[in-house]
Amino acid sequence: MALILENIAKHVSLTSEEQALFLSKLETHTYKAKTLLLNAGEVCKHSYFVNSGILRSFNINDNIVEHVLSFACEGWWMSDMYSYFSQKPGQLFIEVLEEAEVVSLSKENQEQLYLEIPKLERFFRILIENSLVANQQRLMDNLSLPAEERFEKFTKKYGTLVHKVPQKQIASFIGVTPEFFSKMKARLLKK
């Protein structure tokens, strides 16, 4: 649980009593690769913190094409934010890509923690703001940058994932077909 406390300490300082209360509201599980933590159409009742392993969120369109929205590796949080905050059925799947130890915090417990430890509300606000900024930047990148530059940004942000995640998922994340991605990587390797 040290990793999650370090994650919080980047933004707010908790007393040892507050840390103990926070940790008492969490559940930790180990999941095998390909486990779905959330299915599209379900209400997202937890946010997830990755102690180890990799998660991804994605949706599947009407043509049965997967679109990867995000990845979460060690020390990152993940949720279907629309569903989590609205408590309405979402459109995302959350899948374990490699065996992972995941800490989950229920919406109910998070709301209780806001009342008991108000500075956690600040912590989660900062996470949400950072997520909003990152998603807006990614959208702008997808609209204005060539695929090579989007891949460069991906490798800077998710450097460890390049060799751990299937190429087709990276292609989906940067908004290109697997075939185009393969040709682009071959071109980049020749440089």
Side-chain angles (χ1 to χ4, degrees), residues 11 50 56 112 135 161 167 185:
H11 304 290
V50 182
R56 75 170 173 139
Q112 187 62 40
N135 282 324
L161 298 186
Q167 304 280 324
K185 264 189 80 178

Side-chain angles (χ1 to χ4, degrees), residues 117-131:
I117 310 172
K119 58 185 121 175
L120 284 177
E121 200 161 17
R122 179 175 189 272
F123 169 73
F124 283 105
R125 177 185 52 79
I126 291 167
L127 287 185
I128 293 164
E129 288 173 353
N130 290 343
S131 176

Side-chain angles (χ1 to χ4, degrees), residues 138 140-156 170-185 187-188 191:
R138 181 166 169 235
M140 294 307 298
D141 290 349
N142 282 351
L143 292 172
S144 61
L145 294 180
E148 289 86 356
E149 287 183 46
R150 294 194 309 264
F151 180 60
E152 263 182 51
K153 282 192 161 202
F154 175 87
T155 58
K156 285 179 183 164
I170 296 172
S172 173
F173 182 85
I174 66 169
V176 297
T177 65
E179 297 78 18
F180 179 89
F181 183 73
S182 183
K183 289 176 187 172
M184 179 187 73
K185 264 189 80 178
R187 265 194 330 269
L188 292 173
K191 287 184 177 181

Side-chain angles (χ1 to χ4, degrees), residues 65-131:
V65 175
E66 288 184 9
H67 296 282
V68 176
L69 187 68
S70 63
F71 294 100
C73 39
E74 185 177 298
W76 290 42
W77 290 85
M78 178 173 275
S79 185
D80 177 336
M81 290 177 65
Y82 164 78
S83 179
Y84 187 74
F85 291 116
S86 70
Q87 287 299 283
K88 295 179 181 174
Q91 298 178 332
L92 295 180
F93 295 86
I94 297 179
E95 179 186 35
V96 176
L97 290 182
E98 68 176 29
E99 186 171 318
E101 183 180 84
V102 177
V103 178
S104 63
L105 174 63
S106 71
K107 172 84 167 136
E108 182 181 318
N109 282 341
Q110 186 171 338
E111 293 294 333
Q112 187 62 40
L113 284 167
Y114 289 165
L115 298 173
E116 296 181 41
I117 310 172
K119 58 185 121 175
L120 284 177
E121 200 161 17
R122 179 175 189 272
F123 169 73
F124 283 105
R125 177 185 52 79
I126 291 167
L127 287 185
I128 293 164
E129 288 173 353
N130 290 343
S131 176

